[in-house]
């Protein structure tokens, strides 16, 4: 499906490039028409890359003109590689990193197994060449560029149809320290997914579910999650279960939801353990079972899932699900959740300490946790801080500080803070 979209998109890009190059470069205008997806040859693509590199050298340094003419004894591929190697420093100053890597990748190919995908990359290079080559280019250092590994991955992905290499390329284009290009990620993930790569199917499920680089599509997301889950992918199983649990893209089905949550939980997915806790506590698709609910929450919390840690803290503090009230354990799990920046845990810890619900009142701790919640945008925490400084219980009264927090609460939409602020303004 994405391959068809890519082919259609390439045709539209070729038409635009033909219009752009007609007046600027007759060679490109004539040869871009050769990029038909069924007939295009690798040599044709490499000729275009050669013209781009040669054009950049001609534009940036006239003294190289005598050298950049093709050697009659070399192939087009060898000519491009020669230019890239010989004028590496010069080209790095003229080409953005993603384009530079693409030229190396495509020039290094020896055979063409995926025409549409490679044409897409060639079009990236040519479009940049005609539309953006006069812009500022960020210079990159040799140690910052491990393009040999990326070239090898590209060759394996295209020539050998290696699903693992295709998945790794998809990951490369979605990494935080690389230019985020979701359309490139999707292209490679789709190729890997078509060959049954469960990791790629799972990631594509996320992309389609959240609308990352594609139009949000629950049907596609469900299909990819299901394909990956049936291969034993635990996170995909959890997400598939979520869709059945919430009725997202499919009718709500607690039986199937529990089936996949059980599978994911058995394979270590903490979020699935937590949701099973909810199902047992509320009797969703199962008979209410407080003991099983508690055990599910506890296992999830111990596995590091922040929502379970917060829920377990509340269970111990209030003595729920058959547990004896245990303030110390409750605080322990709230603090574990707070370490992971759970805003409700920040607020509750502030409330517990400021009100002395443990039997010991500690205003300073209360202020600390309320401030943490307020800094994360919690409006009620801002109101509580206003109260503490206004009333001066446990600390000296500080009207100036009270006004500050009430003002912040007003901006957050708390009506009570408006009244209290007006009263303070009259003092």
């Amino acid at each position: 499906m994405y391959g068809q979209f890519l082919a259609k998109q390439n045709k539209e890009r070729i038409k635009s490039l033909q219009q752009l190059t007609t007046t600027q470069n007759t060679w490109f205008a004539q040869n871009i028409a050769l990029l038909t997806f069924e007939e295009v040859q690798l040599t044709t693509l490499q000729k275009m890359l050669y013209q781009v590199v040669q054009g950049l050298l001609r534009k940036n340094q006239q003294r190289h003109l005598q050298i950049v003419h093709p050697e009659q004894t070399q192939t087009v591929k060898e000519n491009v590689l020669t230019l890239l190697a010989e004028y590496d420093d010069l080209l790095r100053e003229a080409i953005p990193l993603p384009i530079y890597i693409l030229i190396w990748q495509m020039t290094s190919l020896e055979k063409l197994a995926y025409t549409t995908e490679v044409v897409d990359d060639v079009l990236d290079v040519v479009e940049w060449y005609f539309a953006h080559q006069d812009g500022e280019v960020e210079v990159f250092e040799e140690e910052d560029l491990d393009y040999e590994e990326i070239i090898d991955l590209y060759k394996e992905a295209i020539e050998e149809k290696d699903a693992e290499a295709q998945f790794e390329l998809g990951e490369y284009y979605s990494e935080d320290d690389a230019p985020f290009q979701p359309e490139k990620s999707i292209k490679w993930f789709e190729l890997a997914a078509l060959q049954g790569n469960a990791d790629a199917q799972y990631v594509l499920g996320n992309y389609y579910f959240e609308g990352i680089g594609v139009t949000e599509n629950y049907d596609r997301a469900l299909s990819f999650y299901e394909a990956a889950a049936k291969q034993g992918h635990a996170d995909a199983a959890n997400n598939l279960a979520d869709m059945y649990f919430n009725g997202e893209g499919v009718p709500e089905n607690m039986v199937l939801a529990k089936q996949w949550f059980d599978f994911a939980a058995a394979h270590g997915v903490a979020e699935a353990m937590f949701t099973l806790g909810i199902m047992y506590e509320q009797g969703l698709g199962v008979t209410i079972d407080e003991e099983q609910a508690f055990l599910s929450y506890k296992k999830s919390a111990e596995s590091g899932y922040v929502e379970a840690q917060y829920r377990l803290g509340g269970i111990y503090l209030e003595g729920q699900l058959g547990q004896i009230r245990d303030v110390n354990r409750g605080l322990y799990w709230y603090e574990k959740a707070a370490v992971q920046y759970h805003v409700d845990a920040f607020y509750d810890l502030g409330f517990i300490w400021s009100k002395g619900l443990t039997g010991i009142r500690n205003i300073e701790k209360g202020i600390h946790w309320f401030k943490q919640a307020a800094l994360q945008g919690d409006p009620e925490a801002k109101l509580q801080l206003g109260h503490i400084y206004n009333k001066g219980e446990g600390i000296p009264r500080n009207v100036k500080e009270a006004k500050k927090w009430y003002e912040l609460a007003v901006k957050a939409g708390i009506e009570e803070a408006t009244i209290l602020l007006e009263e303070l303004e009259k003092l």
Side-chain angles (χ1 to χ4, degrees), residues 258 273 276-277 280-281 287-298 321:
K258 186 173 184 301
M273 302 170 195
L276 284 170
Y280 281 114
E281 181 179 2
T287 302
I288 290 177
D289 187 332
E290 291 191 348
E291 181 181 2
Q292 191 59 50
F294 171 76
L295 291 174
S296 296
Y297 287 138
K298 187 170 184 290
L321 300 182

Side-chain angles (χ1 to χ4, degrees), residues 99-385:
I99 301 297
Y100 182 85
I101 292 176
L102 277 176
I103 293 174
W104 270 105
Q105 287 174 326
M106 292 178 290
T107 303
S108 301
L109 291 175
E110 296 172 4
K111 59 182 180 179
L112 198 58
Y114 290 105
T115 303
T116 301
E117 286 71 21
V118 180
V119 166
D120 173 64
D121 291 334
V122 171
L123 290 174
D124 283 347
V125 174
V126 177
E127 283 178 340
W128 169 81
Y129 179 66
F130 282 101
H132 305 293
Q133 60 173 306
D134 293 327
E136 290 294 321
V137 174
E138 183 178 348
V139 178
F140 48 95
E141 302 295 333
E142 181 66 30
E143 56 267 24
D144 297 331
L145 177 62
D146 186 13
Y147 57 81
E148 290 185 7
E149 179 182 349
I150 305 303
I151 290 169
D152 289 340
L153 278 177
Y154 194 89
K155 284 174 65 67
E156 291 172 19
I158 292 296
E159 296 179 351
E160 309 303 327
K161 297 188 176 182
D162 187 307
E164 187 59 35
Q166 291 163 355
F167 174 73
E168 289 184 37
L169 277 173
E171 291 240 288
Y172 166 74
Y173 283 112
S174 62
E175 287 177 359
D176 292 336
D177 57 354
F180 179 52
Q181 301 179 64
E183 70 284 354
K184 292 291 183 191
S185 296
I186 292 167
K187 178 172 75 177
W188 295 110
F189 286 143
E190 285 268 359
L191 288 177
L194 285 171
Q195 296 193 73
N197 184 289
D199 288 328
Q201 291 166 344
Y202 165 66
V203 174
L204 283 171
N206 293 338
Y207 275 35
Y208 278 103
F209 186 85
E210 298 174 24
I212 300 173
V214 291
T215 302
E216 182 182 286
N217 188 323
Y218 283 172
D219 288 340
R220 293 280 283 163
L222 184 80
S223 176
F224 280 120
Y225 285 148
E226 188 172 39
K230 287 180 177 179
Q231 293 192 72
H233 197 292
D235 287 321
N238 177 66
N239 289 7
L240 179 62
D242 269 335
M243 294 190 77
Y244 283 117
F245 183 77
N246 295 309
E248 294 166 316
V250 288
E252 181 183 289
N253 188 324
M254 291 300 168
V255 174
L256 283 175
K258 186 173 184 301
Q259 174 188 318
W260 287 113
F261 278 136
D262 281 337
F263 178 86
H267 288 80
V269 180
E271 184 181 350
M273 302 170 195
F274 174 75
T275 313
L276 284 170
I278 294 174
M279 295 182 79
Y280 281 114
E281 181 179 2
Q282 299 181 16
L284 302 175
V286 295
T287 302
I288 290 177
D289 187 332
E290 291 191 348
E291 181 181 2
Q292 191 59 50
F294 171 76
L295 291 174
S296 296
Y297 287 138
K298 187 170 184 290
K299 189 174 181 181
S300 179
E302 290 171 344
S303 297
Y305 189 59
V306 64
E307 292 296 340
Q309 292 171 342
Y310 177 70
R311 180 71 188 98
L312 197 60
I315 290 169
Y316 279 122
L317 280 168
E318 298 179 21
Q320 297 175 336
L321 300 182
Q323 304 305 303
I324 297 173
R325 187 171 183 271
D326 190 327
V327 173
N328 289 330
R329 284 190 180 182
L331 288 175
Y332 170 81
W333 285 109
Y334 270 169
E335 287 174 0
K336 292 282 279 188
V339 169
Q340 296 196 62
Y341 287 85
H342 194 291
V343 179
D344 289 338
F346 287 152
Y347 180 87
D348 287 353
L349 283 167
F351 195 83
I352 289 165
W353 286 113
S354 66
K355 300 299 182 183
L357 300 184
T358 66
I360 302 174
R361 191 177 191 189
N362 189 323
I363 294 295
E364 293 301 329
K365 278 191 175 183
I367 290 173
H368 167 76
W369 289 115
F370 276 140
K371 282 185 176 180
Q372 295 302 311
L375 289 171
Q376 297 299 315
D378 189 304
E380 288 293 334
K382 296 169 186 176
L383 179 66
Q384 292 298 330
L385 284 165

